[in-house]
């Protein structure tokens, strides 16, 4: 079946704008994770969903970041008032328990 | 926050040699996983070892876990140029299922 799909693959936006990043997980996977990765660094945990609810959102850096998963499938990561420091690759992964299956990420560039 | 720390940060070897990467972590875990990443995009799961296991094998990969020292190692035997990638360890805690990654080891295998 299809893997984890993330759209868009690349997003360039101006400082101060609002962006939405979408993640379509593997069908049937109840767990969904968002990570942020800067060049040369490991994935930084942002938020983890179990079903529709955020089981752990302790990694969201501030209140400009918000994520939803209303029907327990597709998830959207929302960033308000983007800053240049938000530039990174945003990775989504899903799991049925055990291993994570990653998408190819969205490369966000804030100019 | 990061949980695991990989060592070394970078490793360069000749094709055919073995590569050993280490991971240390801070708190008690349910399981530890190793992932591989090419070109800064999605990570690929390699192997999972549970807290009650000491060693696992998968093809040319051998993983050990020492819970008393809170450390794990990944051994790649008979390395190939195609093994060139970044390798990350990730830990899953007992009290939740969120997964935290280390900063990774950048492995270069020279042909």
């Amino acid at each position: 079946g299809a893997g984890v799909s993330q759209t868009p693959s690349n997003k360039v936006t101006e400082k101060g704008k609002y962006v939405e990043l979408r993640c379509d997980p593997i069908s049937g996977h109840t767990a969904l994770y968002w990570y942020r990765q800067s060049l040369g660094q490991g994935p930084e945990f942002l938020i983890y969903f179990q079903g529709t609810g955020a089981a752990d959102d302790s990694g969201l850096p501030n209140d400009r970041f918000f994520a939803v998963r209303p029907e327990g499938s597709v998830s959207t990561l929302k960033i308000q008032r983007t800053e240049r420091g938000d530039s990174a690759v945003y990775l989504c992964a899903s799991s049925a328990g055990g291993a994570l299956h990653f998408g190819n990420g969205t490369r966000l560039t804030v100019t | 926050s990061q949980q695991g720390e990989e060592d070394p940060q970078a490793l360069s070897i000749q094709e055919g040699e073995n590569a050993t990467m280490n991971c240390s972590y801070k708190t008690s875990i349910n399981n530890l996983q190793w992932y591989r990443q090419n070109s800064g995009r999605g990570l690929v799961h390699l192997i999972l070892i549970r807290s009650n296991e000491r060693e696992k094998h998968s093809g040319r990969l051998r993983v050990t876990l020492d819970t008393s020292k809170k450390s794990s190692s990944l051994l790649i035997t008979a390395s190939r140029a195609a093994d060139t990638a970044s390798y990350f360890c990730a830990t899953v805690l007992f009290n939740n299922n969120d997964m935290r990654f280390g900063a990774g080891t950048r492995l270069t295998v020279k042909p």
Side-chain angles (χ1 to χ4, degrees), chain B residues 45-58:
Chain B
H45 179 260
L46 295 176
I47 198 164
L48 180 155
I49 186 164
R50 303 191 187 284
S51 60
N52 61 353
E53 297 176 311
R54 292 296 167 258
E55 185 171 315
K56 281 188 86 167
H57 297 255
S58 176

Side-chain angles (χ1 to χ4, degrees), chain B residues 3-73:
Chain B
Q3 157 76 317
E5 292 185 10
E6 289 90 344
D7 168 60
Q9 292 185 333
L11 179 61
S12 181
I13 60 174
Q14 293 295 134
E15 206 164 29
E17 294 180 340
N18 296 341
T20 299
M21 289 159 270
N22 302 297
C23 170
S24 60
Y25 57 92
K26 299 173 184 173
T27 58
S28 294
I29 59 171
N30 178 290
N31 66 74
L32 184 145
Q33 303 180 26
W34 284 91
Y35 288 79
R36 166 195 168 121
Q37 184 180 40
N38 290 87
S39 305
R41 299 302 256 188
L43 284 74
V44 175
H45 179 260
L46 295 176
I47 198 164
L48 180 155
I49 186 164
R50 303 191 187 284
S51 60
N52 61 353
E53 297 176 311
R54 292 296 167 258
E55 185 171 315
K56 281 188 86 167
H57 297 255
S58 176
R60 293 183 296 113
L61 305 181
R62 172 178 168 249
V63 168
T64 62
L65 179 65
D66 186 334
T67 53
S68 67
K69 295 181 180 178
K70 292 187 169 57
S71 68
S72 173
S73 67

Side-chain angles (χ1 to χ4, degrees), chain A residues 16-27:
Chain A
K17 299 289 188 183
Y18 167 83
V19 295
E20 289 190 353
L21 311 180
R22 176 188 168 106
C23 174
D24 211 326
I26 292 173
S27 178

Side-chain angles (χ1 to χ4, degrees), chain A residues 9-10 33 35 37 40-45 48 50 56 58 89 91 98-100 102-107, chain B residues 1-2 31 33 35 37 39-45 48 50 88 92 96-104:
Chain A
S9 56
N10 288 282
Y33 301 75
Y35 293 88
Q37 188 176 28
Q41 303 295 314
E44 175 192 3
F45 172 79
Y48 152 61
Q50 185 64 40
D56 185 348
S58 62
V89 175
L91 296 167
L100 298 190
F102 279 84
N104 282 328
T106 293
R107 184 178 300 278
Chain B
S1 62
Q2 303 299 105
N31 66 74
Q33 303 180 26
Y35 288 79
Q37 184 180 40
S39 305
R41 299 302 256 188
L43 284 74
V44 175
H45 179 260
L48 180 155
R50 303 191 187 284
F88 298 91
V92 178
N96 61 41
N97 282 322
D98 68 27
M99 194 174 301
R100 308 295 173 114
F101 287 81

Side-chain angles (χ1 to χ4, degrees), chain B residues 81-93:
Chain B
D83 294 330
T84 294
S86 291
Y87 292 82
F88 298 91
C89 70
T91 52
V92 178
L93 306 182

Side-chain angles (χ1 to χ4, degrees), chain A residues 11-107:
Chain A
K11 176 71 177 178
V12 180
T13 190
E14 291 180 349
K15 178 176 178 295
K17 299 289 188 183
Y18 167 83
V19 295
E20 289 190 353
L21 311 180
R22 176 188 168 106
C23 174
D24 211 326
I26 292 173
S27 178
H29 280 192
T30 57
L32 186 146
Y33 301 75
W34 282 100
Y35 293 88
R36 175 168 76 173
Q37 188 176 28
S38 300
L39 191 64
Q41 303 295 314
E44 175 192 3
F45 172 79
L46 296 177
I47 186 169
Y48 152 61
F49 287 90
Q50 185 64 40
T52 60
D56 185 348
D57 64 357
S58 62
L60 295 177
N62 51 59
D63 60 7
R64 296 187 297 105
F65 288 74
F66 190 70
V68 295
R69 194 186 186 200
E71 297 178 356
S73 179
V74 171
S75 177
T76 305
L77 178 65
K78 308 180 181 191
I79 311 174
Q80 299 178 319
R81 305 182 303 280
T82 52
E83 300 177 356
R84 292 194 181 88
D86 298 335
S87 296
V89 175
Y90 288 80
L91 296 167
C92 175
S94 69
S95 173
L100 298 190
H101 300 262
F102 279 84
N104 282 328
T106 293
R107 184 178 300 278

